[in-house]
Amino acid sequence: MNTTISFLSHRRRALVVAGALALLGGLVAVHGAQSSHTPPALALQRDDHPVTRGQLERASFSDVVKRVSPSVVKITTQTKAKRVAADGSPFPGLNDPMLRQFFGGRMPEMRQEPMSGLGSGVIISADGYIVTNNHVVDGADTLTVALSDGREFTAKVVGRDPLTDIAVVKVDAKNLPAITFANSSKAEVGDRVLAIGNPFGIGETVTSGIVSALGRQVGILADVKGFENFIQTDAAINPGNSGGALVDVDGRLIGINSAILSRNGGFQGVGLAVPADMVSDVVTNLVAHGKVVRGYLGVNIQNITPALADSFGLKNREGALVGEVLPDGPADKAGLKEGDVITSVNGQPVTNASKVQMTVTSLAPGAKIDLDVLRDGKVAHVVATAGERPGAHKVDAPANDDEGVLNGVAVADLDRNARQQADVPARIKGAVITNVDADSAAARAGLNPGDVILEINKQPVHNAQEAVELSTKAEGKKTLLKLWSRGSTIFVVVDETGGDKASD
């Protein structure tokens, strides 16, 4: 029987990803749409003290649960029907170039039926900021947050970070019970923990267990080259627990529940949570900037096996072996070489490749990176300057953004893969449309997935972020678009009033 990794949001259509052990190589960087304004800095409640060991001897944690439960919410999502390209469907073979030629290089469209979903979230500030998993809110058109006291609010996505599977949403409310963050780096295997969430939508549920392992990497985020440093727990968590809280016996957040390792999609005692320290860094960036900026070294690195240690004449397996130095990257400019073994970063010993990755990505671009390396059996010192990974992760415009004139349209950066799939020439610059709400004005105007937005109201569009910003800033109910569609450039008017559908 195959082992699978299952995301924990509960949807009508299961979100299950095949588990595979994967080493994450090059160090990653930027994602997300820049906010049009910068909100006040997010002040999280923190408590860095070690867990109170005396609590472990108590027969009940009811007082902890009563204090923490109001900070955990239920998140319900709704996704409207969309028109999507058939080559984006799960059916194999539809992206075959031999098949595409019969459709003029463009695959026919399919209708994606409406979907509903369920997950959990944790209140992190009294003024309405809530952390959850990216896979809970990804693609949702509407979000409803239900508090433990019965109140319900419509929420908006503040920012998403697929590289850690973390997202922040916001509700219009005050004086909410914000959770306190623990220092998750002080968690130890064997510590007692409580998991709080909404499994299967049956209502808020509390389960207990221990920290089973730290620093787990299981490959669940390999498709986006994400960062895995999971806390593993045997506390019972199931679909619907996504985004819920993993707390210590003092009621402090040590992780956000994200996935389970299972043979049947249900609880089998192996749950995975994003550590609170990583969550804190991500949510602070998302609230302040709408995106997360990470340091970048420009290397592919790997753990050292006994065979590699013997081949390179190493005394032990401590460190990270440099398999590739990317041309013109920070490491290349600093003189790092293939075959070097990184033994410390900024004075911190390196035990494995993950340690290098986590340390470098926590730095801001421009920060100094001091590296101690072993090269041909000799100790060397390399000083690099952290860069920012060229090219951002795909940015989707929120299809439920009622402040923009292109409601129901999702866009992404026009990267190499998007160009190939939509057969877009290299000279074309813009933002590619990935989804169009079947009931939207944009759909009535004739916009389709695969079209490229070149201009919005005569303002040039270079990427998805600009398309979102120009859409939000546009005034009036009619929007003039310049598109590259089906091999030619056309003008289209999107009329939110329901008048004329299009003009060219």
Side-chain angles (χ1 to χ4, degrees):
M1 186 178 296
N2 293 329
T3 299
T4 63
I5 298 287
S6 299
F7 285 125
L8 300 176
S9 59
H10 186 60
R11 295 191 180 183
R12 190 181 68 181
R13 189 158 57 191
L15 295 175
V16 179
V17 181
L21 292 177
L23 176 65
L24 302 180
L27 302 176
V28 193
V30 184
H31 134 272
Q34 177 71 43
S35 299
S36 58
H37 65 282
T38 301
L42 185 65
L44 302 177
Q45 299 182 62
R46 303 177 187 274
D47 183 352
D48 289 341
H49 292 92
V51 67
T52 304
R53 300 293 171 182
Q55 286 272 32
L56 299 176
E57 301 175 1
R58 298 180 53 185
S60 173
F61 299 107
S62 60
D63 58 334
V64 175
V65 173
K66 289 175 183 177
R67 187 171 72 252
V68 176
S69 288
S71 299
V72 181
V73 303
K74 179 173 71 174
I75 299 178
T76 305
T77 66
Q78 295 290 332
T79 303
K80 294 183 290 187
K82 291 181 172 65
R83 292 156 57 187
V84 298
D87 57 1
S89 76
F91 302 106
L94 288 180
N95 200 32
D96 191 318
M98 295 297 293
L99 183 60
R100 290 174 65 93
Q101 65 178 323
F102 295 106
F103 299 94
R106 182 102 167 249
M107 293 303 296
E109 295 173 353
M110 300 176 60
R111 179 181 175 87
Q112 179 178 300
E113 294 301 318
M115 292 176 59
S116 60
L118 176 68
S120 304
V122 181
I123 299 171
I124 57 175
S125 72
D127 56 347
Y129 286 101
I130 297 168
V131 63
T132 185
N133 285 137
N134 173 66
H135 74 263
V136 171
V137 302
D138 186 17
D141 292 300
T142 59
L143 303 173
T144 303
V145 170
L147 306 186
S148 62
D149 61 9
R151 288 182 293 169
E152 292 190 352
F153 299 90
T154 298
K156 287 190 175 183
V157 176
V158 174
R160 302 187 296 110
D161 184 35
L163 303 184
T164 55
D165 194 28
I166 291 297
V168 176
V169 303
K170 178 75 164 60
V171 297
D172 187 13
K174 302 294 182 183
N175 301 317
L176 297 182
I179 203 163
T180 297
F181 279 65
N183 185 340
S184 59
S185 67
K186 295 183 178 179
E188 297 181 5
V189 174
D191 284 352
R192 173 73 67 181
V193 290
L194 307 174
I196 307 176
N198 290 273
F200 304 110
I202 61 175
E204 188 167 274
T205 301
V206 181
T207 56
S208 70
I210 63 170
V211 173
S212 304
L214 298 168
R216 281 291 192 223
Q217 297 181 7
V218 295
I220 192 172
L221 301 178
D223 59 333
V224 293
K225 295 185 178 180
F227 307 105
E228 299 188 12
N229 190 33
F230 292 119
I231 296 172
Q232 180 184 325
T233 180
D234 66 344
I237 51 180
N238 287 286
N241 273 110
S242 274
L246 187 70
V247 302
D248 61 23
V249 294
D250 290 325
R252 302 172 304 178
L253 185 76
I254 67 165
I256 293 295
N257 297 322
S258 184
I260 53 176
L261 184 64
S262 173
R263 294 184 183 275
N264 57 19
F267 166 68
Q268 290 192 319
V270 185
L272 302 170
V274 183
D277 292 354
M278 182 180 288
V279 173
S280 174
D281 291 341
V282 170
V283 300
T284 301
N285 274 274
L286 291 178
V287 170
H289 309 296
K291 64 179 182 180
V292 181
V293 179
R294 298 181 170 94
Y296 171 71
L297 184 57
V299 293
N300 286 324
I301 53 179
Q302 63 188 97
N303 292 329
I304 300 172
T305 64
L308 286 172
D310 183 61
S311 297
F312 281 86
L314 304 176
K315 295 180 180 179
N316 55 54
R317 296 167 55 193
E318 299 292 309
L321 177 63
V322 178
E324 181 183 9
V325 178
L326 303 182
D328 298 321
D332 186 28
K333 294 176 181 178
L336 205 64
K337 299 181 181 298
E338 293 180 6
D340 284 350
V341 176
I342 301 173
T343 58
S344 76
V345 181
N346 288 348
Q348 298 297 314
V350 171
T351 54
N352 52 41
S354 177
K355 178 67 175 180
V356 178
Q357 184 184 56
M358 294 301 168
T359 302
V360 172
T361 55
S362 68
L363 301 174
K368 184 171 68 172
I369 308 175
D370 284 313
L371 302 171
D372 288 327
V373 303
L374 287 176
R375 179 180 298 166
D376 298 326
K378 298 180 181 179
V379 178
H381 186 70
V382 175
V383 179
T385 301
E388 184 176 307
R389 182 189 179 190
H393 187 273
K394 184 176 78 170
V395 180
D396 281 341
N400 64 330
D401 186 0
D402 57 8
E403 296 180 356
V405 296
L406 297 181
N407 296 329
V409 177
V411 294
D413 288 339
L414 190 55
D415 58 17
R416 180 188 299 178
N417 290 335
R419 287 184 183 279
Q420 291 178 345
Q421 290 181 8
D423 194 21
V424 179
R427 71 177 188 279
I428 300 299
K429 311 295 181 184
V432 64
I433 296 175
T434 58
N435 278 309
V436 180
D437 187 339
D439 299 320
S440 67
R444 294 193 298 272
L447 273 66
N448 293 290
D451 290 345
V452 179
I453 301 176
L454 309 177
E455 295 180 359
I456 297 179
N457 287 339
K458 300 183 179 180
Q459 297 296 311
V461 171
H462 300 95
N463 51 48
Q465 179 177 317
E466 288 187 1
V468 174
E469 292 176 348
L470 289 172
S471 171
T472 303
K473 294 176 182 177
E475 298 179 354
K477 292 294 185 179
K478 295 184 179 181
T479 306
L480 175 64
L481 300 181
K482 183 178 180 181
L483 302 176
W484 188 90
S485 179
R486 302 181 185 273
S488 62
T489 301
I490 62 173
F491 288 95
V492 171
V493 173
V494 178
D495 187 355
E496 296 283 349
T497 66
D500 296 335
K501 293 183 179 180
S503 63
D504 54 24

